[in-house]
Each structure stands twice: as structure tokens, then as C-alpha cells.
Amino acid sequence: MDITTLSLRLFIIIFGLLVSSSQCYKPDIFQNTLGHIKSRTSPEIQAKAAKGVAERLLGKEISKLFIMILNTNLGPIDKDTFQITKNPLGKIEIHGTSGVAITWGLHYYLKHHCNVHISWDGMQISLPNTLPDVRVKITSNDRFRYYQNVCTMGYSSAWWQWRQWEKSIDWMALNGINLALAFTAQEAIWQRLYQELNMTKWEIDEHLGGPAFLPWARMGNIRGFGGPLSSNWHNRTIRLQHQILRRMRDLGIVPVLPAFAGHVPRAFARLFPNANMTKIEPWNKFKDKYCCPYLLEPTSPLFRMIGEKFLRMYIDEFDTDHIYNCDTFNENTPNSTELIYLKNVSQSVFLAMNAVDSKAIWLMQAWLFVHDITFWTESRVRTFLTSVPTGRMLVLDLQSEQFPQYERFESYYGQPFIWCMLHNFGGTLGMFGSAQIVNQRTFEGRNMYGSTMVGTGLTPEGINQNYVIYELMNEMAYRDKPVNLVDWFASYATRRYGAWNDYAVTTWKYLGGTVYNFNGTEKIRGHYVITRRPSLNISPWVWYERRMFYTQWDNFLTARYGRENNTLYRHDVVDITRQALQLMADDIYMTIVDYYKEKNVIAFRSSANDLLELFDDLESILASGNNFLLGTWLAQAKDMADNEEERRSYEYNARNQITLWGPNGEIRDYANKQWSGVIADYFKPRWELFLKALDKSLIERTKLNITEINDRIFREVEQPFTFSTKLYPTEPKGDPIEIAVKLISKWYKIEAPLALSLLSPS
């Protein structure tokens, strides 16, 4: 047999093996591109930074029980690995390929061997007297574990100072996050650039949005609303961004920096009268004062000049790790359907990055393909994506758990992508999740033939809610197969509260199989009756049986004995009670509508009084939880101010975002929060006014004028709330367990069964 024949047979055998096993095929073209995306920090600094996380988490003395060693040769080059052993001196040695890997290993040991729980809601850290023996080696499934949505910087971290950022970055490292957005201070750089172009202060102010609305100003959705930004804001954010980037880089987390998407101020028409620009269409009915900046024609030399100038200025101030995010068409439809136009936009965005940084990778959120599925056909998406060299774009499949796009677009036509769980919109509260989907489809996305999946990611618009589903998603980065969800939720309950409790475990098993097991295409945005603008046309809906939820609410409170001082149990008492009450509000609402239509005045008034009383009880339970206070959000906003004018501006930003979201309610209640203070002074007064109007129409036998009612609600409740300066507590009031026990006796055991008997089970 000659060499040619042998070579051909070997080729056929190898090709057959590749085709027969989807798990065997992974394009390796990314090795020469994404390979640039790695930490440039020395092993010594990363190890020291990891030790710093341990000290802040455990205290200096206890942290000495953990020896943290960085070894870059421990695992594959493109995947993080950690190894945990107990040495003869009784200390736990954690070896890892990076600072992130070591810290991830620390959390893995504490979680799986010491029954520790670390979450956004609080921590349960009670180590055994003797640290358990262990010998384990874990390698990540993929190259990246990504974190954040561009909107998170508005809905959750708008007012964070270094204390909150430090805690958040520690959490990232403990959960293995090695790629994260770092978008702070870009407005300060834009201001420098605009001033260099001789733009006036007024022109800059009418473009840059206020602190709570920066993400949407950055993406060209709005302009100027909530502003202006002061020199104090710019100086603070520059200092803060240096701290954020230093800590991220020290730990080995690669920060994603902002780049130019093509949106420019209206003032460009004065500065560059011959420039080829298009006014962006209005977004969510914002009027001209606050909408529609210009989009530069991508083939224009001005596009390239602005893009290069901004990125160079940003890098000069903050250095770079070669990966950048920008979104040209986030909920903005391109003004041309021509493929050549889409190709030019994509190429221009990338070339502006590449001209400044020859190793640049463009990280792009794929939300545009979900938001406008009609415009973004396969041919348009293919053109847009493949106009950037393969491997020089990294796509975030932003809501893989509900609307995945990677299959529709054939693994993004060769561009690498990250399987992301979006889950939350607007930072709204409300218990829900898709545990089974997360548990299965991350593996399916990774192992399908030709998959270009290179990571998993968390991309919530807002955090600090439903931590359980994020904990599960984080484990998909290292699990080698789907977990048994019944066992997993039982283990979660045990870790969270520090010990096994039959009642708590039963509740979490129930939640895992129902509330956190949604599977469908309905858009769940936390819209419950209590947080909706009053109407007779609301259709309450949940995918699980309400009666069973009330039963588990009762069951969960039985777990209180011995848990009275457990921080996380007390948090969950508030959260589950909040959920139960808002479900009951849905029930009561349905009876109100029925009695109104039947013109049964006495029964209507009784149910209306029940709803208003429930608002008072909801306010009471929320006021007892330190994570459910409007006062905290407002205090954080005002703490960023340097003078009274700034304080008023930031408070307006904070109040408006969680209520009207726009001067006239353009995205009303999108980012609503069930917080103490919001319930009492915003949600309840709206329903009070509406129910009085219904009562009046019944008594006077007149037709309900909903237009007039909505106008009154805006003038008398909604708008005044956004301009108010009323102070709210920043410390909880009352004992959540005592309050919840009284409420369950009142609502579930007495009134709820009667109300529920009038309704269908779901």
C-alpha cells in the first residue's frame, strides 16, 4: 500500500470519527484569536489577590487554613483548573491555573465539603472544627464564564461605590467568572472627546443621560434624560473604574471595555455639516427631546475617526485586555435592509477597534436577533456576523434559556458564542426560573455537532433576586452531566440555612419542581396585579398551582424553629411571603372584577378593602427585610452626590427608573420593585384611586372613564412620587418571622380558602 492510499484511508477514518461523535468536533480556529483574551497579570499578583478574597470572606485567621498556589501547568491551556487536597498539617491546599481558578476552588471546597453558602442575599459560613479531607481536581467545561448585561449597570449597580464593587468582584472570582463587563467612566472619556471637538457644555449635557439611564444612552435608545452629569460624577467614576479594573486584573478576570457603536450627539450636525448621518427612530415612544441621536454612516471616514479616537482615549486612561463591547442596533432597527449596509456597519465597528488594537475582539450581545426576529433573517445575520473575521467576534446568546438563537444561526456561522441565562428583566422581583432547561441545554449547546460554544454566562438585567437559579447556572460551568434537580434543591436548602431541615427542604424541592421549572415562550417580566397600573383588563397567570404555593408558604414557616437568627432564612421568609401575598392579590383582583361586572356593591367593597389591606400587609413584611427597602436604593443614589442639586437629580433618577421609566411613563413599571416604601406610596395609592373610581361608577351607574383615571393616577401619584424627596428607612423594622406568621394566619388559613374556592386551581 503506497503512502497516498494510506493517507487517504487515515483521512477517511478520522473524518468518520468526527462525524459520528458530535462531542469530538470543535473548531480550533479560535486558538489564534480568542487565545489573546487572557490575563496578563503575573502569577504572584493573582495568587495574592486570591488570598485577599479568602481573607475578606473568612477573616485573616481562618483564611490561614487555606494555602492558595497558582500553577499555570495544572490543566489545559484554554480552560481553568483547580485541585484541592488536605496536607499533613491539616491545611487545605488549593492549586489553580489562575487567581480566578484558585478562588473558584476555595468556594467549591467551602460549598461542597463545608456546607457553606455565599449569595447576593447574604452568607452562611460556619466551618466544621476539623476541615474535611478531600482530593479533587476540576477543569472548566469551557474557556469562559461570563457575567453581566449592559443593563445591569443601570438596574442594579448604578449607584455602587467601591465597597459594593469589591464585594461583587469577590463574588465573581468565587464563582469562576473570568470575563466580565467593566463599563464605568466611559461618559468621562466621551466628555473629553466632545470637548476636544469643540462641543459646548449644553450640547454634551443634552446627549449624555443620567446615572440610572446610562446603558440606554450608550446604546442610542435615548439621550439626555436624567442628566446632566457633573464633573463630580466623572471624577468619581474615573477613580472607581481604576479600582474595578485593578482588582479584576489582579484576580485574572478579563474586563470587557466599551467601544464605539456609531451613535453620536445631535451637535454633530453643527460640527460636521456634511457628515452622512441618520436620525435613529424613537424608542418606546420617547419624545424628540429625549430620543433619537444620530447614527453615523459606517462607511464615513468620520465613523472610523470617532471610533478610533474614543478607544484610544479610553485605553490611554485604563489600559486594555483586548476585548470590547458595543451594540449598534440594540432595539433600534437598521435603516436599511441591504446586505451591503449591514456588512459595512459590522466591518466599520470592528475596524475602528482593530485600528487601535490589532488583537481586538468584539463582544456582541445577540439581543437584537431576539428582539426583532422579523428583520434579522438568516441571510442578514450571516452577513452581519461574517463581515468580521472568524474568531474576532464573540457572541453572547443572551437568553439561551428561553429564546436561544445559536441553533437558528448555525452556531453563529462560525463565530464563537457563549450560552447565557438572562432570566431577569428590569431587576424586578418575583420568584421564577427554568432549572430543567439550564440543567439540560447548556450541555446540548456545547455538544451539538459543529458547536462554537466557548462559555457559559449570566446576563441578567438586574441582580439581587432568585439567587437559586444563578447558583445552578454557575455550576453548569464545571458539571460533567446534568444534576438530579430534586437532590440539588434539597442540598441548596441545607447549605443556605446551615443544616438539614425537613420543612425547608420540602419547600425548596417543591419550588424546584414548579416555580423554578418554567418551560415555555411566554415573556415573564414579574408583572403581578400589585405592580401593574390598575385596569379591569389584567389577566393574572402563573404556570404552577397557587394553592400548593400557599401550602408551601405555611410549610416553610414551620421551619422557623431554630432558624430565628439565620440571616438567609429571614430573607427568604420575606421573599416567599411577598410572593404569596402578591399571588393572593391576583386572586382578590379577580373577585373584584367579577363583583364589579355583577354590580354587587357590597361584595365589591369587601374585596376592594381586602386588596388595600393586603397592600398594607405587604408593606409590613417588606419593611422587615433589609434587602427590600426603597430607602437603601435612594440613599445609595444620594451618596454619590457632592451638592444638593446633584442629590435631587440622582434621587429623581433613582425614583423614576423604578416607576415611570421616562418623564411621561414611557416604560412604566418595567423596572418595578416590591420594596417597602414603593408599596405604600406608589402601588397602593394607584389602586386606591382606581377602586374609588370603580365604586363611584357603581353607585352613580356611570361608565368608567379610564382615560381620566389614568390621567389622575399620573398627576396625583406617579409623577409626584418621582419628584418627592421623602425620606425612607435604611434599616429594617419588625421581625419578619413574627410578621409572616401573623399574615399566614390572616390570609391563608382564614380568608384565602374562601377566595380560592371561587377560582380555578391555577
Side-chain angles (χ1 to χ4, degrees):
M1 185 182 297
D2 59 34
I3 295 296
T4 303
T5 304
L6 180 62
S7 299
L8 180 60
R9 288 189 177 183
L10 285 171
F11 173 80
I12 292 172
I13 291 171
I14 293 169
F15 182 78
L17 288 171
L18 289 173
V19 171
S20 65
S21 173
S22 63
Q23 295 187 31
C24 290
Y25 178 79
K26 279 280 185 180
D28 61 3
I29 192 169
F30 316 125
Q31 299 302 320
N32 297 322
T33 51
L34 293 183
H36 299 310
I37 308 306
K38 58 186 178 184
S39 174
R40 296 177 293 119
T41 307
S42 72
E44 294 77 16
I45 290 176
Q46 291 190 52
K48 183 179 179 182
K51 188 65 177 175
V53 176
E55 290 178 353
R56 286 188 291 277
L57 182 70
L58 303 172
K60 286 193 175 182
E61 285 306 309
I62 295 177
S63 69
K64 291 176 182 177
L65 297 174
F66 297 89
I67 310 300
M68 307 175 84
I69 302 166
L70 195 142
N71 179 359
T72 56
N73 299 317
L74 186 63
I77 293 174
D78 61 343
K79 294 181 179 179
D80 270 323
T81 300
F82 58 82
Q83 180 175 289
I84 312 171
T85 57
K86 187 173 182 179
N87 68 22
L89 298 176
K91 295 188 176 184
I92 303 301
E93 290 191 7
I94 305 171
H95 296 247
T97 51
S98 67
V100 165
I102 301 170
T103 314
W104 197 12
L106 171 67
H107 186 207
Y108 182 95
Y109 178 78
L110 294 173
K111 176 177 174 178
H112 293 289
H113 297 277
C114 299
N115 204 39
V116 162
H117 182 76
I118 300 164
S119 76
W120 297 326
D121 312 318
M123 296 185 292
Q124 184 282 116
I125 301 178
S126 181
L127 299 184
N129 293 329
T130 301
L131 293 177
D133 199 0
V134 64
R135 178 171 289 275
V136 65
K137 185 176 182 179
I138 299 289
T139 296
S140 63
N141 289 321
D142 313 291
R143 183 170 199 136
F144 298 116
R145 280 84 56 204
Y146 174 79
Y147 180 50
Q148 291 191 326
N149 180 309
V150 296
C151 298
T152 318
M153 273 66 82
Y155 291 131
S156 291
S157 57
W159 314 111
W160 282 6
Q161 299 194 50
W162 174 240
R163 181 177 60 83
Q164 290 103 331
W165 270 110
E166 180 175 57
K167 187 176 180 181
S168 179
I169 296 169
D170 284 355
W171 178 89
M172 292 183 207
L174 287 163
N175 285 279
I177 305 297
N178 64 351
L179 185 66
L181 283 185
F183 262 30
T184 304
Q186 57 183 287
E187 284 70 31
I189 305 303
W190 277 118
Q191 184 191 51
R192 291 180 191 174
L193 191 156
Y194 294 149
Q195 287 175 336
E196 192 176 289
L197 295 175
N198 293 320
M199 201 176 290
T200 68
K201 182 182 183 303
W202 183 87
E203 289 170 332
I204 296 172
D205 288 346
E206 76 153 7
H207 180 71
L208 298 178
F213 303 99
L214 291 178
W216 303 276
R218 292 165 179 169
M219 293 182 289
N221 303 128
I222 58 176
R223 63 190 183 92
F225 179 63
L229 297 174
S230 66
S231 57
N232 168 55
W233 177 269
H234 292 316
N235 293 335
R236 273 180 177 270
T237 56
I238 287 173
R239 290 194 301 270
L240 183 58
Q241 179 71 333
H242 278 294
Q243 290 176 294
I244 292 168
L245 292 175
R246 186 179 305 114
R247 182 60 57 80
M248 281 188 176
R249 288 166 175 159
D250 283 355
L251 282 163
I253 299 173
V254 174
V256 179
L257 303 182
F260 179 57
H263 313 117
V264 294
R266 294 274 186 93
F268 266 52
R270 175 185 70 80
L271 296 171
F272 307 100
N274 299 319
N276 190 351
M277 300 182 292
T278 304
K279 187 188 289 186
I280 294 172
E281 290 296 310
W283 179 74
N284 280 305
K285 299 181 181 179
F286 270 85
K287 294 195 170 14
D288 190 68
K289 181 179 180 181
Y290 293 123
C291 82
C292 318
Y294 286 125
L295 179 65
L296 280 175
E297 169 58 42
T299 57
S300 162
L302 186 59
F303 186 108
R304 179 81 169 263
M305 186 266 280
I306 298 298
E308 290 182 27
K309 187 179 284 287
F310 170 75
L311 194 55
R312 196 166 279 117
M313 288 176 121
Y314 203 90
I315 291 173
D316 285 347
E317 179 68 46
F318 299 114
D319 204 352
T320 186
D321 294 83
H322 310 298
I323 185 162
Y324 311 94
N325 166 262
C326 62
D327 297 287
T328 302
F329 299 120
N330 181 75
E331 302 188 5
N332 288 324
T333 303
N335 58 25
S336 172
T337 60
E338 296 296 322
L339 297 184
I340 187 63
Y341 172 79
L342 298 175
K343 176 181 178 180
N344 286 339
V345 172
S346 185
Q347 283 186 343
S348 298
V349 170
F350 173 72
L351 289 174
M353 298 178 196
N354 195 60
V356 178
D357 180 356
S358 62
K359 296 180 179 180
I361 303 289
W362 177 9
L363 179 81
M364 190 192 74
Q365 294 193 149
W367 180 247
L368 67 169
F369 307 142
V370 179
H371 183 262
D372 193 347
I373 197 170
T374 303
F375 180 90
W376 289 104
T377 61
E378 283 81 352
S379 61
R380 290 172 187 161
V381 172
R382 182 191 292 271
T383 297
F384 192 75
L385 297 179
T386 58
S387 297
V388 173
T390 303
R392 300 296 296 277
M393 174 184 279
L394 178 54
V395 181
L396 299 176
D397 193 273
L398 210 67
Q399 196 180 10
S400 303
E401 86 281 12
Q402 195 171 13
F403 300 109
Q405 302 297 304
Y406 55 85
E407 289 182 311
R408 181 163 81 103
F409 300 130
E410 301 172 25
S411 261
Y412 291 102
Y413 307 111
Q415 297 289 19
F417 78 92
I418 294 178
W419 199 106
C420 299
M421 184 185 76
L422 197 161
H423 180 265
N424 179 269
F425 289 84
T428 58
L429 303 183
M431 299 173 72
F432 71 95
S434 300
Q436 190 58 47
I437 290 175
V438 166
N439 193 36
Q440 294 285 344
R441 294 186 191 169
T442 47
F443 295 95
E444 294 170 5
R446 181 181 295 121
N447 296 328
M448 68 181 184
Y449 181 74
S451 175
T452 56
M453 178 176 159
V454 294
T456 51
L458 305 178
T459 53
E461 285 193 348
I463 63 170
N464 298 321
Q465 38 71 40
N466 291 296
Y467 188 78
V468 64
I469 204 70
Y470 295 91
E471 174 131 326
L472 176 66
M473 181 62 200
N474 278 333
E475 291 190 15
M476 297 301 106
Y478 64 82
R479 292 280 186 180
D480 58 5
K481 62 182 179 181
V483 302
N484 180 310
L485 286 174
V486 175
D487 293 343
W488 190 90
F489 275 90
S491 177
Y492 177 86
T494 305
R495 288 195 310 273
R496 190 164 172 87
Y497 310 131
W500 178 279
N501 179 283
D502 286 337
Y503 297 104
V505 167
T506 299
T507 297
W508 277 104
K509 283 182 177 180
Y510 159 78
L511 293 173
T514 55
V515 176
Y516 289 111
N517 197 27
F518 174 73
N519 185 356
T521 57
E522 292 86 351
K523 294 180 179 179
I524 309 169
R525 305 287 169 90
H527 285 179
Y528 302 90
V529 163
I530 61 166
T531 58
R532 296 284 296 273
R533 203 182 206 193
S535 162
L536 288 172
N537 300 313
I538 300 172
S539 300
W541 170 81
V542 289
W543 57 96
Y544 49 91
E545 192 173 327
R546 293 167 184 265
R547 296 188 206 197
M548 282 302 298
F549 189 93
Y550 303 144
T551 299
Q552 289 303 322
W553 176 32
D554 187 30
N555 179 71
F556 185 70
L557 283 173
T558 309
R560 66 187 180 275
Y561 302 108
R563 307 244 121 35
E564 293 90 341
N565 297 319
N566 183 291
T567 301
L568 289 165
Y569 178 75
R570 292 165 73 85
H571 172 277
D572 291 348
V573 164
V574 176
D575 202 27
I576 291 175
T577 303
R578 175 200 54 72
Q579 184 76 7
L581 290 179
Q582 67 188 21
L583 290 175
M584 287 186 175
D586 292 350
D587 295 336
I588 295 170
Y589 166 81
M590 296 301 290
T591 65
I592 288 172
V593 173
D594 287 344
Y595 290 140
Y596 178 78
K597 289 178 179 178
E598 294 168 6
K599 297 182 171 51
N600 186 333
V601 177
I602 294 174
F604 167 82
R605 285 178 173 172
S606 177
S607 291
N609 287 334
D610 284 345
L611 183 60
L612 295 178
E613 194 172 331
L614 186 142
F615 273 108
D616 293 336
D617 290 338
L618 186 56
E619 171 71 19
S620 176
I621 188 67
L622 293 171
S624 70
N626 61 3
N627 292 320
F628 299 88
L629 305 177
L630 170 63
T632 302
W633 172 251
L634 298 182
Q636 288 178 350
K638 290 182 283 187
D639 282 349
M640 291 290 283
D642 200 37
N643 54 56
E644 189 55 37
E645 183 181 358
E646 270 191 300
R647 271 187 284 277
R648 285 197 300 271
S649 174
Y650 296 168
E651 181 167 6
Y652 173 76
N653 269 253
R655 286 170 171 269
N656 182 279
Q657 188 213 78
I658 62 174
T659 52
L660 285 176
W661 214 124
N664 301 302
E666 284 78 357
I667 322 180
R668 179 182 286 104
D669 300 330
Y670 179 86
N672 67 71
K673 303 292 188 296
Q674 293 101 312
W675 287 342
S676 168
V678 186
I679 297 293
D681 291 342
Y682 181 77
F683 292 132
K684 182 189 176 184
R686 293 199 305 189
W687 278 98
E688 204 164 22
L689 192 154
F690 179 72
L691 292 172
K692 285 180 180 178
L694 291 183
D695 189 279
K696 182 180 179 183
S697 75
L698 281 176
I699 298 301
E700 298 180 357
R701 299 175 182 264
T702 56
K703 185 178 180 181
L704 192 71
N705 188 334
I706 194 64
T707 301
E708 179 185 316
I709 293 170
N710 284 340
D711 183 58
R712 284 190 60 200
I713 287 173
F714 178 77
R715 288 184 292 102
E716 297 176 27
V717 180
E718 294 171 337
Q719 191 179 56
F721 180 88
T722 66
F723 286 110
S724 173
T725 57
K726 178 180 175 180
L727 290 174
Y728 293 91
T730 56
E731 295 294 331
K733 177 184 178 182
D735 183 281
I737 296 174
E738 290 180 6
I739 294 170
V741 169
K742 290 178 182 177
L743 293 180
I744 202 163
S745 297
K746 174 180 179 180
W747 291 103
Y748 174 53
K749 294 182 177 177
I750 298 175
E751 296 182 29
L754 177 61
L756 288 170
S757 68
L758 304 174
L759 304 167
S760 64
S762 60

